[in-house]
Amino acid sequence: MGSPKSLHGVNFAPPRSFGTILKANLKETLFPDDPFYEFKNDKLSKRILMGIQYFVPIFQWLPKYNFGLFKFDLLAGITIASLAIPQGISYAKLAELPPIIGLYSSFVPPLIYAIFGSSKHLAVGTVATCSLIMAESIQQKVKPHDNMQLYVSLIYSATLISGLLQAALGIFRLGFLVDFLSHSTITGFMGGTALVICLQQLKGILGLKHFTSHTDVVHVLRAVFENRKEWTWQCAVVGVIFLTFLQLSRYVRKKKPNLFWVSAIAPIIVVIVGCLFAYLFNAEKHGIDIVGKLNKGINPPSLNLINFSPEYISVVLKAGIITAMVSLAEGIAIARSFSIMDNEQIDGNKEMVAIGLMNIVGSLTSCYLSTGPFSKTAVNHNSGCKSQMSNVVMSMCMLLTLLFLAPLFGYTPLVALASIIMSAMLGLIDYEKAYHLYKTDKFDFLICMAAFFGVAFISMDMGLMMSVGLALIRALLYVARPPTCKLGTVSNNAFRDVEQYPGSKQTPNMLILKLGSPIYFPNSNYVRERILRWVRDEQSLQNSKRNEIEYLILDFGGVTSIDITGIETLFETRRSLAAKNIKIILVNPRLGVMEKLIVTRFIDVIGKESVFLTIEEAIENCRFSLNSSQTKAEDVEIA
């Protein structure tokens, strides 16, 4: 018969204590990767050393670093620096910030990331999406042409908020929150943002003096055509030439991946040629505006500019929270993508801490929001980077630029920057991915389109909220309407879904159901109603065959948890079935579920003899009981 704690091989041991369960749940929630497993049995001194290396990755890779690796990182660092200079200036202009701030943002943050970042591929820099989100949010309160100093201070404040939130998410191991930005949401959001940014660059391409502060397609196109008298053909010609050159370089990279460097150096070539053109031909006299004066020198401190006054705190928080989540989702997704290519793993929580710290330090050193842009990371990977040292090399190149070359980039034509931004954004509108979503999952396609059209025709934050809202509705539908299926036997005596395997055989006098999700308050009524509906339908079918159901076998292997509402649902279901002379049999309840069933005495009600390890054992026992009952009935009739 087995021990008092077991029957049919099922463990009926007393439930674990609350503290044990809480500890196990917290560990699984916050440390699912079990990061300290490798050195938990080592000496204290080694554990301290390994802990430092874990939390500060530079101490892990730097002792093993050598000149052979540095040669690759040097080339990669110089290459991404050539991309960082035009991108830094361009995206700063996109955020309506002084261009020098864009250069500052590629000097300090990469150094911080090299210390705390766990991805050797991620190249740090500013990104167009977050630049535009920050500009749109802050301009709801302050316009840069009205008070540039206040505008810049609020940008720094939003960057600090973003960094604090990112670091906190990583420290408290809450990286799973970023997963609420689904792949479909990110695809649509990036595509919609790219479309809006491309259209906004018509201001620079056409040489417009007046423009709208709105970001939606309707307002942007209206501003373009309402100010058509300001169109400058010289700007348009130069812009088309630059854009054509940049797109050709991207085409070369696509056709011949080994020539990736052509696309990588194309933006700096556009900037250099544009500067020479503006200097030699005095472009401003021909209606082609330039960046203007850029002062030499490294980042000044900006702690004194942090502004959390009640009048502006709402827009600062809004900009900081949205950009924190978007930049984390983008940076971590990109880091993971390139790590997988080399069969490596990165820690998402450590990445959050690294990105958060670099934005915290950046906000205090005249930088605005930075993360890991796709274009720069792709160039870094293709250039053969071997470690985070490539970010250090890029930072040193930016230092030299800030100390000696910054004034030269003041001659950069705004039309050149517009062309660089537009070319980069065209690559983010992923038509193929949207079509793939349409063919594979219509709801995912709807989520993607909600983000795309919401961003394009309403606003960036509304587009993001609409898409996330749809994704949450879908998740709630999965929660509220969990899958259940009827099981039958196939040729090899395996139990499978009868809908998937229509030829499977049914077991006489028994209904076997598989529950595939937790049972708790949002879905408990549905689970009860669905079970009773299965029973009703099966009874109708069996009555036609004169074969009554006497046992309902519930496979609980997929029920990962259950709450008190779920327990009450089981009691109600049992009472309903008992009225029909149907007995409930449980198969393979998991540990946490079994503990709840024992504590609430549900096991006592149905009896320990009604719980089995496998469906086969349950069926065999039920058949034995049926045969015994039939034999007794026959004996009574004979008597």
Side-chain angles (χ1 to χ4, degrees):
M1 293 293 293
S3 69
K5 294 183 179 180
S6 68
L7 184 65
H8 304 148
V10 178
N11 183 10
F12 293 100
R16 298 166 295 171
S17 67
F18 173 76
T20 302
I21 296 174
L22 179 63
K23 181 180 178 181
N25 290 339
L26 287 176
K27 180 180 178 181
E28 193 61 30
T29 301
L30 302 180
F31 297 94
D33 53 345
D34 196 8
F36 308 112
Y37 174 78
E38 294 183 359
F39 51 90
K40 64 181 180 181
N41 295 322
D42 292 330
K43 295 180 180 179
L44 178 61
S45 57
K46 188 173 183 180
R47 277 186 287 167
I48 293 175
L49 176 62
M50 296 292 286
I52 293 173
Q53 291 178 341
Y54 175 81
F55 289 109
V56 188
I58 193 172
F59 292 121
Q60 187 172 12
W61 60 265
L62 191 59
K64 306 173 187 176
Y65 200 70
N66 56 52
F67 182 75
L69 298 175
F70 179 71
K71 291 187 295 184
F72 292 96
D73 288 334
L74 179 64
L75 174 62
I78 293 173
T79 305
I80 57 177
S82 68
L83 189 60
I85 294 171
Q87 280 190 349
I89 298 174
S90 302
Y91 295 157
K93 291 296 292 182
L94 186 62
E96 310 238 2
L97 292 169
I100 193 67
I101 294 178
L103 297 181
Y104 289 159
S105 300
S106 291
F107 169 47
V108 173
L111 291 176
I112 305 300
Y113 183 82
I115 296 173
F116 295 99
S118 62
S119 171
K120 68 182 183 182
H121 302 105
L122 200 70
V124 172
T126 55
V127 289
T129 308
C130 293
S131 299
L132 191 59
I133 292 174
M134 279 204 164
E136 182 191 29
S137 300
I138 301 302
Q139 287 183 42
Q140 293 175 5
K141 278 288 185 180
V142 179
K143 297 291 188 289
H145 54 266
D146 293 336
N147 191 337
M148 178 57 80
Q149 184 175 357
L150 177 59
Y151 179 78
V152 171
S153 72
L154 295 181
I155 291 285
Y156 291 155
S157 304
T159 301
L160 178 59
I161 292 292
S162 183
L164 290 171
L165 177 59
Q166 290 166 335
L169 289 175
I171 291 171
F172 293 105
R173 312 289 293 183
L174 300 178
F176 61 87
L177 294 177
V178 179
D179 295 336
F180 282 101
L181 293 178
S182 68
H183 188 70
S184 304
T185 296
I186 294 174
T187 299
F189 180 76
M190 297 294 285
T193 304
L195 175 63
V196 168
I197 292 173
C198 282
L199 292 177
Q200 283 196 327
Q201 300 320 300
L202 292 175
K203 176 185 179 183
I205 296 290
L206 299 175
L208 298 177
K209 306 295 183 185
H210 299 89
F211 208 62
T212 179
S213 60
H214 295 279
T215 59
D216 62 280
V217 170
V218 175
H219 281 91
V220 171
L221 290 179
R222 183 183 298 165
V224 169
F225 288 101
E226 284 181 351
N227 297 298
R228 56 185 175 274
K229 292 183 180 179
E230 298 179 1
W231 292 6
T232 305
W233 68 267
Q234 295 94 330
C235 272
V237 170
V238 173
V240 169
I241 292 173
F242 283 153
L243 185 59
T244 302
F245 170 73
L246 290 167
Q247 287 301 102
L248 283 174
S249 71
R250 293 171 63 88
Y251 179 79
V252 169
R253 185 193 67 183
K254 185 176 181 180
K255 289 297 181 181
K256 294 187 178 295
N258 291 335
L259 298 179
F260 69 90
W261 54 269
V262 174
S263 176
I265 66 172
I268 195 67
I269 291 176
V270 166
V271 169
I272 293 173
V273 171
C275 288
L276 291 174
F277 171 78
Y279 178 75
L280 296 175
F281 297 98
N282 204 353
E284 287 185 285
K285 290 186 177 180
H286 299 283
I288 300 177
D289 292 335
I290 63 174
V291 169
K293 185 178 180 182
L294 292 177
N295 295 321
K296 292 191 293 185
I298 60 174
N299 305 33
S302 53
L303 175 61
N304 60 312
L305 296 178
I306 301 298
N307 188 333
F308 291 140
S309 65
E311 183 179 357
Y312 307 111
I313 189 64
S314 60
V315 295
V316 167
L317 286 173
K318 175 185 174 182
I321 292 172
I322 295 177
T323 54
M325 303 304 287
V326 172
S327 62
L328 279 181
E330 182 178 356
I332 293 175
I334 290 169
R336 284 176 175 167
S337 299
F338 283 95
S339 294
I340 290 172
M341 292 181 187
D342 289 350
N343 196 28
E344 297 176 350
Q345 296 290 330
I346 65 164
D347 188 328
N349 289 294
K350 283 199 287 187
E351 287 298 289
M352 290 183 175
V353 173
I355 294 174
L357 288 176
M358 75 184 190
N359 283 317
I360 291 172
V361 176
S363 68
L364 305 178
T365 53
S366 300
C367 305
Y368 79 107
L369 192 84
S370 299
T371 185
F374 178 82
S375 58
K376 199 182 293 184
T377 303
V379 170
N380 194 34
H381 178 268
N382 292 332
S383 300
C385 70
K386 298 299 181 183
S387 72
Q388 293 88 324
M389 184 62 72
S390 61
N391 276 293
V392 177
V393 173
M394 177 183 70
S395 181
M396 293 301 101
C397 291
M398 296 305 299
L399 173 62
L400 295 176
T401 301
L402 290 169
L403 290 177
F404 303 108
L405 303 177
L408 299 179
F409 291 103
Y411 290 99
T412 306
L414 296 184
V415 66
L417 302 180
S419 301
I420 292 170
I421 295 174
M422 185 175 288
S423 177
M425 292 303 101
L426 288 174
L428 294 181
I429 303 177
D430 197 340
Y431 308 99
E432 294 181 357
K433 177 61 70 176
Y435 180 71
H436 176 71
L437 290 174
Y438 175 77
K439 296 294 288 184
T440 55
D441 192 316
K442 299 298 189 293
F443 207 113
D444 265 333
F445 176 75
L446 181 62
I447 292 171
C448 177
M449 289 299 99
F452 181 85
F453 288 110
V455 169
F457 290 97
I458 305 177
S459 67
M460 301 185 74
D461 50 345
M462 280 301 298
L464 191 61
M465 287 192 294
M466 287 167 55
S467 183
V468 171
L470 279 176
L472 289 177
I473 289 174
R474 185 183 199 183
L476 289 174
L477 286 175
Y478 285 143
V479 169
R481 297 293 181 265
T484 61
C485 64
K486 183 170 72 170
L487 300 181
T489 55
V490 294
S491 58
N492 58 353
N493 293 324
F495 291 89
R496 296 293 182 266
D497 183 359
V498 297
E499 187 175 355
Q500 185 177 2
Y501 299 91
S504 57
K505 298 179 181 179
Q506 303 299 299
T507 306
N509 303 111
M510 302 177 205
L511 173 60
I512 308 171
L513 300 181
K514 184 177 181 65
L515 306 182
S517 74
I519 303 176
Y520 40 65
F521 68 94
N523 64 22
S524 58
N525 283 332
Y526 172 78
V527 170
R528 176 176 56 81
E529 292 169 0
R530 190 69 185 95
I531 290 174
L532 295 178
R533 186 148 49 96
W534 276 116
V535 172
R536 181 200 66 193
D537 295 343
E538 191 69 14
Q539 280 183 323
S540 300
L541 179 64
Q542 296 290 7
N543 284 337
S544 65
K545 299 178 181 179
R546 297 182 180 179
N547 192 11
E548 291 290 336
I549 299 175
E550 297 193 30
Y551 292 97
L552 171 64
I553 300 176
L554 297 178
D555 184 352
F556 263 42
V559 180
T560 55
S561 63
I562 190 169
D563 67 358
I564 191 63
T565 307
I567 296 289
E568 290 300 322
T569 295
L570 292 182
F571 276 109
E572 293 172 10
T573 304
R574 178 196 165 275
R575 285 193 291 268
S576 299
L577 294 176
K580 301 178 181 180
N581 295 317
I582 299 175
K583 185 176 181 181
I584 288 182
I585 303 295
L586 299 186
V587 173
N588 189 30
R590 299 168 66 118
L591 176 61
V593 175
M594 177 62 87
E595 290 175 335
K596 292 283 184 67
L597 296 178
I598 292 174
V599 170
T600 56
R601 299 189 180 279
F602 183 78
I603 294 296
D604 294 338
V605 171
I606 65 172
K608 292 183 179 180
E609 66 277 4
S610 297
V611 185
F612 295 87
L613 282 180
T614 65
I615 296 176
E616 292 86 346
E617 292 176 352
I619 292 175
E620 183 179 352
N621 187 274
C622 291
R623 281 175 177 167
F624 178 79
S625 299
L626 285 170
N627 292 334
S628 299
S629 299
Q630 291 173 0
T631 301
K632 290 180 180 179
E634 291 173 357
D635 291 341
V636 170
E637 291 178 1
I638 292 173

